[in-house]
Amino acid sequence: SRADARKSQLNCSNYTTSKVEIQHLLDVHQPDVMMIQESWLNEKKVCKPLGYHVERRDRVTARGGVGAMVKGGGLLTLIKDCSVSRSKFSIVQMVPLDLGDDDVSEVLQVKLLWKESSVVFSNIYVPPIRPAGSEHRVQRFKADNVLEKCISSCSVSQHIIAGDFNAHSTLWDNYCAEDELGEDIHDWCMDANVDIANDGAVTYTSRADARKSQLNCSNYTTSKVEIQHLLDVHQPDVMMIQESWLN
């Protein structure tokens, strides 16, 4: 079956310094939807890739607590303009999720009306919380809070959840031992009957010691998703996952 639409995912670790390369990837691979984590943007910074509509959510919680400068984080979901896309989407903006006491996890949801169906895309970044004197944030991510709310946010039956969870599980990561976040996501996927789209390929390589891992994860509640391949983003520590959902 031929793929009718294509989704890509990557952690860019600063859109401003990566925008030329990201535009190149958009031009070459022509994804209909690209979900980007760690945009590092704020209200003063512009994001206008050629040929794409932008949905964005900038980080609002600072590492240093109230009054500290907000840095890092941020999410972008790029949707190909209907005038140039083979897939004619209608975009429905969604109300931000209420994650309760979890003020660290970042979620950006977009619903696309495509052909005769609807698909909800949930773009997620779960930052690593490392003990440090300037770190005031607390890791409160729970899959049955964040992921469950992504699925239950509307009555649409087709969901694609993708992001950088900074989590390890043998369900998608064969390179590192399972950690608490990974086990939590693993258990939720099993209970919720959600499939993992990752095919076992590396999505992260450490700059420091070339350690490999799979921090980026995609899962879905529909059978219309298929992994195509992984593409190098030409940076030493990130990969882009490219997928298609089928008609």
Side-chain angles (χ1 to χ4, degrees):
S1 179
R2 183 181 63 83
D4 284 330
R6 180 177 296 175
K7 180 193 79 70
S8 300
Q9 173 195 340
L10 83 103
N11 180 318
C12 71
S13 293
N14 193 334
Y15 174 82
T16 302
T17 59
S18 305
K19 62 183 178 181
V20 173
E21 188 168 30
I22 290 172
Q23 186 67 57
H24 173 74
L25 291 171
L26 293 171
D27 293 341
V28 170
H29 300 291
Q30 295 290 309
D32 293 283
V33 179
M34 178 181 277
M35 302 166 80
I36 298 175
Q37 299 86 44
E38 287 205 89
S39 60
W40 295 18
L41 297 177
N42 56 44
E43 68 276 5
K44 297 180 181 179
K45 295 183 178 180
V46 176
C47 175
K48 292 184 177 180
L50 295 176
Y52 283 80
H53 169 81
V54 178
E55 294 290 328
R56 62 187 275 184
R57 179 145 300 141
D58 301 337
R59 172 173 285 179
V60 296
T61 303
R63 295 179 182 177
V66 177
M69 181 180 295
V70 177
K71 298 180 180 179
L75 299 165
L76 298 171
T77 297
L78 313 182
I79 302 145
K80 186 178 287 187
D81 289 342
C82 287
S83 59
V84 298
S85 177
R86 57 193 171 163
S87 303
K88 305 304 181 182
F89 298 116
S90 295
I91 302 168
V92 179
Q93 295 179 328
M94 298 182 64
V95 176
L97 294 180
D98 180 359
L99 300 181
D101 64 355
D102 182 353
D103 60 353
V104 173
S105 300
E106 302 173 24
V107 180
L108 171 60
Q109 287 192 296
V110 178
K111 181 166 71 172
L112 298 185
L113 307 180
W114 174 57
K115 294 189 174 180
E116 297 180 354
S117 62
S118 299
V119 183
V120 173
F121 291 83
S122 297
N123 186 359
I124 299 176
Y125 179 56
V126 181
I129 306 299
R130 301 183 178 93
S134 60
E135 179 62 86
H136 288 256
R137 298 173 302 172
V138 176
Q139 184 61 269
R140 294 191 176 95
F141 174 88
K142 295 294 182 184
D144 61 3
N145 176 38
V146 178
L147 302 185
E148 188 65 34
K149 286 180 178 177
C150 285
I151 295 296
S152 61
S153 58
C154 67
S155 59
V156 172
S157 61
Q158 298 186 83
H159 293 260
I160 296 177
I161 301 173
D164 184 349
F165 293 87
N166 282 288
H168 305 282
S169 167
T170 54
L171 196 60
W172 65 84
D173 191 343
N174 297 319
Y175 294 86
C176 295
E178 188 166 77
D179 58 22
E180 185 175 348
L181 284 184
E183 182 179 7
D184 183 33
I185 295 171
H186 183 158
D187 291 345
W188 178 84
C189 288
M190 296 297 98
D191 292 342
N193 196 29
V194 171
D195 296 316
I196 294 292
N198 297 57
D199 63 358
V202 172
T203 64
Y204 171 89
T205 301
S206 171
R207 289 190 180 96
D209 56 13
R211 174 175 49 86
K212 299 179 185 300
S213 182
Q214 292 157 303
L215 296 176
N216 297 339
C217 177
S218 294
N219 46 53
Y220 54 90
T221 63
T222 170
S223 60
K224 296 185 178 181
V225 179
E226 167 187 293
I227 286 281
Q228 282 194 322
H229 48 79
L230 286 158
L231 301 168
D232 192 4
V233 187
H234 313 302
Q235 296 186 33
D237 62 340
V238 291
M239 301 287 282
M240 181 172 73
I241 298 173
Q242 185 139 353
E243 304 164 354
S244 296
W245 62 96
L246 307 179
N247 184 22

